[in-house]
């Protein structure tokens, strides 16, 4: 049973006061024993499906970790290290090569709408609008034998890159956003990015991550409209010419680039100046192009690091990343299995929760049991995943995983008189 009222107070309903904050109050009956039991059954069924899904995923993660580690070892062994600024040699076609140097592009990348031009691998225009944003907070507590639910909707102003639809707000009449943005965020990219005479694949260029913000003042021929002004890193467009400060509907625009490249010293003066970035690359040479290298272990290798680094350093960093990802997914898998066991045993814990004092003790014991089961099952699945590749480690993990069952079996045997 659930009820609300159109008036505030003990009967529920809407509470107004602050124009940027409104609260809805409703009441519903506390769930009875049979309703909780029904919810527990549904939770237990979902827990079974979650348990069935987690074990294969945990197993697959172990295979992925081994395959990646072996691929990196293979790459380090077969990689051909080229000197700084080396040219492509036909003898290296099809081989895994490592080289470093400064990025270069033939033509500047351009935002034609505002006239921003720069020799770089990537140029990004970011557009944000000052808009109303709705946040929601719900809390429940007992009130005279019923459950009182208070849902509070609050409104504040934020710069957002996406359009916020105010028509879905609870108080949309008092908090209205524009229905469209006059400009959109847009990426611009160079058609050809090279290091020395090697042309890089798009996947390699996408690995550039350092962002450099372009100061609008450094753009000599920046195309601005009458209601647009430069403020710091942004071009600001006011929604109203008479307003002061940030107003709903205001627009701000900024530009940033990745991978500054070498260019002609006599380039046009309207091009933004930057210092060319140095990068280190590992990939398969295909003529003058560099792309993914397929390893016998099953993975592809295609690496780009900013700065000049040795191939050994790059492979070591990839191995460290693989190890970190493997342990993270193991921990997530363990937590998911623990959650699945808790959901499966929720039927028992809901029943025992009605037993005064001893119910809490029993539920605590069930939680410890679920923790032990989750740990043991996780170790067993991990061990099976490693069984094909690392037998010694797999057998060790299997032994550790079976310990709770062995101990339980030994302690449960009757003592001889």
């Amino acid at each position: 049973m659930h009820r609300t009222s159109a008036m505030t107070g003990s009967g529920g309903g809407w509470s107004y006061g602050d124009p940027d904050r409104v609260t809805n109050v409703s009441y519903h009956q506390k769930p009875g024993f049979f309703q909780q039991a029904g919810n527990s059954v549904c939770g237990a069924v979902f827990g079974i499906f979650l348990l069935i899904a987690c074990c294969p995923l945990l197993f697959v993660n172990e295979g992925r970790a081994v395959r990646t580690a072996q691929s990196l070892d293979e790459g380090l062994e077969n990689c051909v290290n080229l000197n700084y600024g080396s040219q492509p040699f036909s003898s290296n076609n099809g081989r895994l090569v490592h080289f470093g140097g400064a990025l270069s592009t033939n033509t500047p990348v351009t935002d034609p709408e505002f006239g921003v031009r720069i020799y770089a691998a990537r140029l990004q225009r970011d557009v944000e609008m000052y808009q109303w944003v709705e946040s929601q907070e719900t809390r429940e507590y007992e009130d005279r034998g019923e459950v009182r639910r208070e849902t509070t909707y609050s409104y504040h102003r934020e710069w957002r890159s996406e359009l916020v639809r105010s028509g879905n707000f609870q108080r949309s009449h008092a908090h209205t956003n524009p229905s469209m943005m006059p400009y959109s965020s847009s990426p611009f990219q160079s058609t050809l990015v090279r290091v020395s005479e090697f042309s890089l694949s798009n996947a390699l260029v996408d690995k550039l991550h350092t962002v450099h913000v372009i100061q609008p003042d450094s753009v000599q021929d920046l195309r601005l409209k009458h209601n647009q002004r430069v403020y710091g890193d942004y071009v600001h467009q006011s929604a109203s010419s008479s307003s002061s400060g940030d107003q709903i509907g205001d627009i701000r625009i900024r530009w940033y680039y990745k991978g500054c490249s070498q260019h002609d010293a006599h380039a046009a003066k309207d091009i933004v100046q930057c210092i060319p970035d140095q990068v280190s690359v590992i990939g398969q040479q295909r003529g003058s192009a560099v792309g993914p290298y397929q390893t016998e272990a099953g993975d592809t290798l295609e690496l780009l690091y900013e700065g000049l680094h040795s191939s050994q350093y790059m492979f070591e960093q990839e191995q460290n990343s693989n190890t970190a990802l493997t342990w993270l997914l193991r921990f997530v898998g363990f937590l998911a299995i623990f959650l699945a066991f808790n959901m499966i045993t929720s039927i028992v814990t809901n029943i025992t929760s009605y037993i005064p004092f001893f119910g809490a003790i029993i539920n605590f014991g069930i939680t410890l049991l679920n923790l032990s089961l989750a740990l043991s099952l996780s170790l067993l699945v991990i061990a099976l995943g490693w069984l094909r590749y690392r037998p010694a480690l797999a057998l060790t993990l299997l032994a550790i995983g079976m310990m709770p069952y062995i101990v339980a079996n030994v302690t449960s045997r009757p003592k001889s008189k």
Side-chain angles (χ1 to χ4, degrees):
M1 179 179 178
H2 187 280
R3 62 186 176 87
T4 60
S5 172
M7 300 181 66
T8 61
S10 61
W14 291 94
S15 174
Y16 301 94
D18 187 339
D20 295 335
R21 186 181 180 89
V22 60
T23 301
N24 175 257
V25 180
S26 61
Y27 290 84
H28 60 87
Q29 297 291 337
K30 293 176 59 178
F33 173 79
F34 292 103
Q35 183 179 352
Q36 289 188 10
N39 294 336
S40 297
V41 171
C42 294
V45 172
F46 182 80
I48 293 173
F49 283 106
L50 180 61
L51 187 63
I52 294 174
C54 286
C55 291
L57 293 176
L58 201 58
F59 181 88
V60 168
N61 175 53
E62 297 309 312
R64 178 208 59 79
V66 173
R67 183 178 65 252
T68 301
Q70 291 179 342
S71 295
L72 292 171
D73 288 340
E74 178 185 338
L76 179 60
E77 182 179 353
N78 298 330
C79 187
V80 177
N81 295 298
L82 305 179
N83 294 326
Y84 181 92
S86 292
Q87 307 297 313
F89 296 106
S90 59
S91 58
N92 290 327
N93 278 338
R95 303 186 66 179
L96 185 67
V97 296
H98 162 265
F99 57 90
L103 293 171
S104 64
T105 55
N106 292 335
T107 58
V109 61
T110 304
D111 180 351
E113 194 158 10
F114 289 90
V116 178
R117 306 175 66 203
I118 186 171
Y119 279 96
R122 298 285 188 265
L123 173 66
Q124 175 71 35
R125 179 214 298 164
D126 273 355
V127 181
E128 295 177 317
M129 178 185 287
Y130 202 56
Q131 303 174 78
W132 284 109
V133 177
E134 179 185 73
S135 59
Q136 178 180 335
E137 180 182 0
T138 301
R139 67 188 188 102
E140 292 184 349
Y141 56 91
E142 290 190 29
D143 184 9
R144 290 174 292 184
E146 293 183 306
V147 177
R148 176 185 172 103
R149 174 181 294 170
E150 295 182 356
T151 304
T152 300
Y153 303 89
S154 57
Y155 302 88
H156 54 281
R157 304 172 181 88
E158 285 185 10
W159 288 102
R160 287 291 186 94
S161 57
E162 71 281 357
L163 189 64
V164 180
R165 305 290 181 181
S166 57
N168 299 325
F169 290 172
Q170 288 293 330
R171 298 196 70 186
S172 58
H173 63 282
H175 306 87
T176 304
N177 290 326
S179 59
M180 62 176 295
M181 299 178 70
Y183 302 101
S184 61
S185 297
S186 301
F188 308 94
Q189 59 186 37
S190 178
T191 56
L192 178 63
V193 181
R194 295 179 302 185
V195 174
S196 184
E197 296 300 321
F198 291 97
S199 60
L200 306 183
S201 67
N202 287 332
L204 285 170
V205 177
D206 289 339
K207 296 180 184 295
L208 294 167
H209 58 82
T210 301
V211 172
H212 304 275
V213 177
I214 296 177
Q215 298 293 328
D217 288 334
S218 66
V219 183
Q220 293 191 11
D221 294 334
L222 186 63
R223 301 167 188 168
L224 300 181
K225 296 183 179 180
H226 69 280
N227 60 340
Q228 295 174 341
R229 299 290 184 272
V230 174
Y231 291 100
D233 296 339
Y234 294 90
V235 168
H236 193 283
Q237 176 176 308
S238 299
S240 173
S241 58
S242 60
S243 62
S244 59
D246 296 331
Q247 300 294 323
I248 296 298
D250 284 3
I251 297 291
R252 68 180 187 182
I253 308 168
R254 73 166 181 171
W255 294 264
Y256 64 82
Y257 66 90
K258 296 180 181 180
C260 177
S261 63
Q262 290 179 330
H263 54 273
D264 186 358
H266 303 289
K269 294 182 179 180
D270 63 336
I271 295 178
V272 177
Q273 301 298 309
C274 60
I275 300 175
D277 289 321
Q278 306 276 346
V279 298
S280 300
V281 179
I282 292 177
Q284 185 183 46
Q285 179 180 321
R286 303 167 183 173
S288 62
V290 179
Y293 175 85
Q294 182 66 50
T295 64
E296 294 183 1
D299 277 359
T300 58
L301 299 177
E302 194 174 16
L303 309 177
L304 182 145
Y305 279 32
E306 295 177 341
L308 299 178
H309 305 283
S310 66
S311 59
Q312 182 175 357
Y313 171 84
M314 296 173 68
F315 280 114
E316 286 177 354
Q317 293 302 306
E318 292 298 312
Q319 290 282 19
N320 292 338
S321 298
N322 180 45
T323 301
L325 177 61
T326 301
W327 279 105
L328 175 62
L329 294 178
R330 285 172 180 169
F331 182 69
V332 171
F334 162 72
L335 289 182
I337 292 175
F338 177 58
L339 175 63
F341 277 122
N342 279 333
M343 297 178 73
I344 293 172
T345 58
S346 61
I347 300 176
V348 179
T349 55
N350 277 333
I351 294 175
T352 56
S353 63
Y354 287 89
I355 304 176
F357 182 70
F358 292 103
I361 298 176
I362 295 173
N363 289 346
F364 179 72
I366 292 175
T367 301
L368 291 180
L369 175 63
N370 291 338
L371 186 65
S372 175
L373 290 173
L375 181 60
S376 297
L377 183 58
S378 298
L379 290 174
L380 288 172
V381 174
I382 292 172
L384 292 173
W386 279 85
L387 193 58
R388 177 182 175 184
Y389 306 100
R390 307 288 168 85
L393 179 59
L395 292 175
T396 302
L397 291 174
L398 280 170
I400 296 174
M402 292 298 296
M403 283 301 297
Y405 303 101
I406 296 173
V407 172
N409 185 50
V410 171
T411 55
S412 62
R413 291 180 179 177
K415 297 181 179 179
S416 58
K417 296 183 179 180

